[in-house]
Amino acid sequence: MNRIFSSIEILRPLNMILCLLAVFISALLVDGITSPLLPYAILVVICFAGASNILNDVLDIHIDEINDPDRVLTSGKLRILYALILMSILYAIGIISSTYLHLLGKQIALVVVLPLLVLYTPLFKGIPLIGNVVVGLLLGLVFLFTECSIHGYVDKMWIPFF
């Protein structure tokens, strides 16, 4: 039971809820709330967010040992191997789910978002301003991604993106 709670904690559920809200708001704004593609878009966003949170914790474990020793991995509540397996499963579910979306949504997810998420902690996080721009870009892309996933084009989500 403790492993289940630790698995949920490492995903950072509040962040995932905020991502989910962004997808729902986008879907409402583009009249896509009843789209059969919406659940796939939700899965992509939620799985990519959760997996990336795990990747961040794994790559920052030595920093967290000093700055945040109560985190799931640094406290020993969850083994790194288990976290990596969970991360791999989530990335796989997100990638598979993206294949059901319109082409432009799939391209945003796999060609833009996924590489940025994977490279953020080891590459962009430590570069002043660039890391912040990447985070802002990823957050804004949720809006574009949702519209593209549901409709196959971007029309209304440019303003929320920026």
Side-chain angles (χ1 to χ4, degrees), residues 4-156:
I4 293 171
F5 288 126
S6 296
S7 298
I8 292 169
E9 185 180 343
I10 199 169
L11 296 175
R12 298 188 193 133
L14 181 59
N15 291 356
M16 294 176 70
I17 290 168
L18 292 173
C19 290
L20 181 64
L21 283 173
V23 174
F24 274 122
I25 290 167
S26 300
L28 281 169
L29 292 173
V30 300
D31 298 322
I33 201 72
T34 59
S35 171
L37 299 176
L38 182 59
Y40 297 109
I42 289 169
L43 270 175
V44 170
V45 171
I46 294 300
C47 289
F48 280 7
S52 298
N53 288 332
I54 295 170
L55 179 61
N56 180 278
D57 281 1
V58 169
L59 293 176
D60 281 350
I61 192 164
H62 297 297
I63 294 168
D64 289 342
E65 286 173 346
I66 297 165
N67 295 329
D68 201 352
D70 292 331
R71 285 236 168 142
V72 174
L73 293 179
T74 54
S75 66
K77 293 179 196 172
L78 200 63
R79 291 181 34 215
I80 293 175
L81 179 61
Y82 183 80
L84 289 172
I85 291 169
L86 179 58
M87 178 194 74
S88 301
I89 291 168
L90 289 172
Y91 275 136
I93 291 170
I95 290 167
I96 292 166
S97 297
S98 73
T99 64
Y100 294 97
L101 303 174
H102 283 286
L103 179 61
L104 190 53
K106 185 185 326 182
Q107 289 171 334
I108 290 171
L110 300 178
V111 177
V112 180
V113 173
L114 186 58
L116 286 174
L117 288 171
V118 171
L119 293 174
Y120 173 73
T121 300
L123 182 63
F124 300 120
K125 186 177 181 179
I127 304 172
L129 189 61
I130 300 296
N132 296 343
V133 169
V134 170
V135 169
L137 179 64
L138 287 167
L139 293 172
L141 280 169
V142 172
F143 297 100
L144 293 183
F145 166 76
T146 302
E147 185 173 16
C148 290
S149 296
I150 292 170
H151 295 302
Y153 58 85
V154 181
D155 181 38
K156 297 178 181 176

